[in-house]
Amino acid sequence: MPAPDASATARLAVFAPLENLGRAETISRRLADAISLGLLADGEQLPSEPELAAMLGVATVTVREALSELREQGLIVTRRGRGGGSFVRTPEQEQTAGHLRRRLRDLTVADLRDLGDHYSALAAGAALLAADRASPDDLDRLGEAAAAFADAAGIERRHHTDGRFHVEVAAAAQSARLTREEIRMQTEIGPLLWLPGADAHTQQQLDRQHREIVAAIAAEDGERAARLARRHVDEAIERLVELHLGLVAPVDTEQ
């Protein structure tokens, strides 16, 4: 059963034909990213191997290899017999706060700013195109995604709903490539962005920014939508840089 809050455009990006055919690791990574972000729901049955091969434009044996890798990662389970198939298994808190902090500590400020520049440009470009291309259904999805964040309880849920909001902006740009890149960025940097947490003031600020981005897209004001999306990402990166500096400061002091 499809994830109830995933737009058709976002899901099509997951199952679009591969740019480089015959790469099982590309398939497994794309599906793993979609599972991590919640675009494929826990317990959802994947298409059959022949169906996946046709959708992705690869041989069935390549799909079989990719699914085997996902099983080893614990991201899908396969059941035989009537009603069988491959089913999504969303991992429990796979990356603990401690693991993420170690990962953040290993990065440099230059790494974070480089990631931020890439993500900021991506978010701004998606918002700009969405303002020009979004359909009424896309606008409804964006409004629902913004509302889901406002109603989310707990850091993990807010992290997921924030990520889904950005994926929906990219999907509203009507670009499968942009949507896939947004999904990739969410899985690469999204968990880190929520390490600093969010107090009530920051949550209200993020909620307001989401709604302002949606309003600008609905008004077909691409320049404003892009500017707001860029600021939204830039401020998140600055919070992450501050946390990073706090983590490495004790080590620097001892040296």
Side-chain angles (χ1 to χ4, degrees):
M1 185 176 67
D5 54 350
S7 73
T9 305
R11 290 175 60 82
L12 283 174
V14 175
F15 296 112
L18 304 184
E19 292 81 4
N20 299 311
L21 300 182
R23 295 186 59 192
E25 64 273 19
T26 302
I27 299 172
S28 61
R29 178 175 298 181
R30 187 187 290 183
L31 293 176
D33 287 350
I35 292 169
S36 174
L37 197 56
L39 291 176
L40 298 177
D42 186 45
E44 176 177 348
Q45 183 173 6
L46 295 177
S48 68
E49 290 181 358
E51 289 172 332
L52 274 174
M55 295 165 76
L56 295 166
V58 299
T60 304
V61 66
T62 305
V63 169
R64 191 169 300 135
E65 183 181 344
L67 294 181
S68 176
E69 173 64 23
L70 290 172
R71 276 193 294 273
E72 289 181 10
Q73 295 178 38
L75 295 177
I76 65 169
V77 293
T78 300
R79 297 196 285 269
R80 307 296 178 187
R82 184 183 299 274
S86 294
F87 298 83
V88 171
R89 184 169 70 183
T90 303
E92 297 182 5
Q93 194 68 24
E94 185 181 14
Q95 294 179 310
T96 64
H99 170 75
L100 289 171
R101 284 175 181 270
R102 288 190 295 273
R103 179 180 161 198
L104 177 59
R105 188 169 183 164
D106 289 340
L107 296 171
T108 67
V109 171
D111 292 332
L112 292 173
R113 295 208 184 282
D114 189 46
L115 272 171
D117 287 345
H118 179 72
Y119 188 25
S120 177
L122 172 67
L128 179 68
L129 289 175
D132 183 55
R133 301 174 178 176
S135 68
D137 285 344
D138 290 327
L139 294 176
D140 288 342
R141 304 289 306 194
L142 285 171
E144 291 169 3
F149 175 83
D151 295 338
I155 290 178
E156 185 177 358
R157 182 59 183 162
R158 284 192 289 271
H159 157 226
H160 282 295
T161 52
D162 180 59
R164 293 295 291 277
F165 172 80
H166 288 283
V167 170
E168 292 298 348
V169 172
Q174 309 300 330
S175 169
R177 188 181 293 272
L178 267 179
T179 304
R180 287 197 298 273
E181 181 63 11
E182 179 64 49
I183 292 171
R184 190 188 71 79
M185 285 302 298
Q186 285 297 329
T187 55
E188 180 177 1
I189 198 172
L192 291 176
L193 290 176
W194 280 91
L195 267 180
D199 56 22
H201 173 74
T202 303
Q203 290 173 35
Q204 291 171 2
Q205 181 182 26
L206 295 175
D207 178 31
R208 183 181 70 253
Q209 289 174 347
H210 288 162
R211 295 179 187 277
E212 287 175 344
I213 292 169
V214 174
I217 291 173
E220 301 181 3
D221 189 343
E223 290 187 7
R224 176 171 170 76
R227 186 170 63 252
L228 290 168
R230 183 178 293 111
R231 185 181 71 185
H232 180 68
V233 171
D234 289 347
E235 290 179 358
I237 293 294
E238 286 306 311
R239 289 192 294 271
L240 189 58
V241 167
E242 289 181 11
L243 177 61
H244 168 77
L245 292 174
L247 290 175
V248 301
V251 175
D252 292 342
T253 299
E254 292 172 3
Q255 292 177 345

